[in-house]
Amino acid sequence: MSLSWPFSGVRQGGAKSRLIFALDVGSLAEAEKLVKLLVKEVGLFKIGKQLFLHAGPPVVRMVRDRGGEVFLDLKFHDIPRTVAKAAAEATRMGVRMFDVHASGSLSMMRQTVTEVNRVCRNEGLRRPKILAVTVLTSLTRDDLRRVGVQAGVEGQVVRLARLAREASMDGVVASPLEIARIRKECGRGFLIVTPGVRPSKTNWDDQKRVLTPADAIRSGADYIVVGKPIRDATDPRSAARDIVAEIEHATAR
Ligand code: C5P
């Protein structure tokens, strides 16, 4: 991988701040154990549907109380007003990032951005980064065709990334293989958050479209999301440190 894009101008912090740990566990107690262990090793904790539906807003508060930052990965997709109001609640919870489906429309994304800006201004809150999910990594060309989308996966990813940019979203969640194309199309000021990353030390067991942390960063990712390789490691702390070292190495000039 020889591509080396300049990083986005909107991301802040060092290598550690670029590692997002996926808190994919089924209880508040398990989540708390991992947060205690990793709060000094990673930049953000990603909370998805399973943990949020099980534990609710207290899990976000727990991470924040322990000094961590949250990426609330609930992938909102609904009529514009409903998503905008949900986004306002995510903002009030103090999450650092959250996401919506770009396919929910330009007006859904625009209304979300407007509502979050309004709530932050009126209530003096910190403005979270609002990300768009383009095409889920589980979808194939055939899946898209069956729901009436004739474009191939990459064409649709780029189309939705451009739409998100037009709606003034802060960035996208994108698979490793889409980073370079999105960076080229959407420019430097657009955040790219990338799951599907496997450290060079691990076996690439369950994932097909993967890159190492170093390659994802060199391709232009601002943040990488890693779950299983840290969670299932004998020593999760040292697994996280190894990944941060890989990120550092990739960014060293
Ligand atoms: O596989 P791993 O545990 O590292 O995945 C971390 C997170 O990234 C999970 O929450 C998963 O839903 C998400 N992911 C994804 N697309 C992939 C792989 C993982 O969105 N291709």
Side-chain angles (χ1 to χ4, degrees):
M1 178 59 70
S2 60
L3 282 169
S4 187
W5 289 97
F7 307 121
S8 132
V10 286
R11 179 185 44 74
Q12 289 169 351
K16 192 194 89 172
S17 69
R18 302 173 71 171
L19 175 58
I20 302 178
F21 172 64
L23 210 42
D24 293 333
V25 291
S27 75
L28 186 61
E30 280 176 276
E32 189 154 24
K33 218 165 92 186
L34 284 163
V35 172
K36 261 164 79 178
L37 197 62
L38 294 168
V39 72
K40 292 205 165 63
E41 317 299 337
V42 307
L44 290 99
F45 293 90
K46 182 171 86 68
I47 296 174
K49 291 184 176 86
Q50 182 197 0
L51 182 59
F52 192 77
L53 285 170
H54 179 84
V59 70
V60 174
R61 274 199 293 279
M62 177 275 291
V63 176
R64 303 277 294 124
D65 288 347
R66 292 197 169 275
E69 295 283 1
V70 173
F71 167 17
L72 189 64
D73 179 24
L74 298 181
K75 299 186 178 69
F76 300 139
H77 188 162
D78 212 310
I79 59 169
R81 185 177 181 280
T82 301
V83 170
K85 293 295 176 193
E89 292 308 324
T91 302
R92 292 188 179 109
M93 263 182 224
V95 307
R96 190 79 199 90
M97 298 175 178
F98 69 88
D99 52 6
V100 309
H101 274 284
S103 52
S105 83
L106 181 66
S107 68
M108 187 199 83
M109 290 189 280
R110 276 191 172 148
Q111 230 171 286
T112 299
V113 172
T114 305
E115 179 65 7
V116 167
N117 288 344
R118 190 188 67 79
V119 160
C120 288
R121 210 173 37 244
N122 290 353
E123 301 173 28
L125 301 173
R126 182 178 68 161
R127 164 80 158 68
K129 299 292 181 198
I130 314 174
L131 304 174
V133 175
T134 57
V135 178
L136 292 172
T137 49
S138 56
L139 297 182
T140 63
R141 189 189 181 99
D142 188 48
D143 291 321
L144 291 183
R145 224 183 359 241
R146 280 166 182 263
V147 293
V149 175
Q150 298 307 324
V153 172
E154 193 180 320
Q156 185 68 358
V157 165
V158 170
R159 175 194 292 261
L160 291 173
R162 283 211 205 104
L163 197 69
R165 182 133 182 88
E166 195 183 333
S168 301
M169 302 287 285
D170 297 300
V172 286
V173 181
S175 100
L177 305 185
E178 292 149 6
I179 303 170
R181 181 82 195 275
I182 293 173
R183 180 60 74 218
K184 187 159 162 257
E185 296 281 340
C186 297
R188 292 182 56 184
F190 201 57
L191 290 175
I192 301 180
V193 176
T194 301
V197 175
R198 284 290 173 266
S200 21
K201 279 186 185 171
T202 50
N203 289 330
W204 289 0
D205 44 5
D206 55 338
Q207 301 244 359
K208 292 187 191 77
R209 304 172 73 203
V210 291
L211 283 188
T212 64
D215 284 339
I217 294 292
R218 283 197 205 102
S219 307
D222 292 288
Y223 296 88
I224 56 171
V225 181
V226 182
K228 211 170 157 221
I230 296 177
R231 198 179 58 242
D232 295 353
T234 349
D235 182 351
R237 235 184 225 156
S238 109
R241 278 180 200 151
D242 286 348
I243 296 171
V244 171
E246 274 196 58
I247 298 174
E248 242 156 32
H249 186 69
T251 49
R253 302 197 177 246

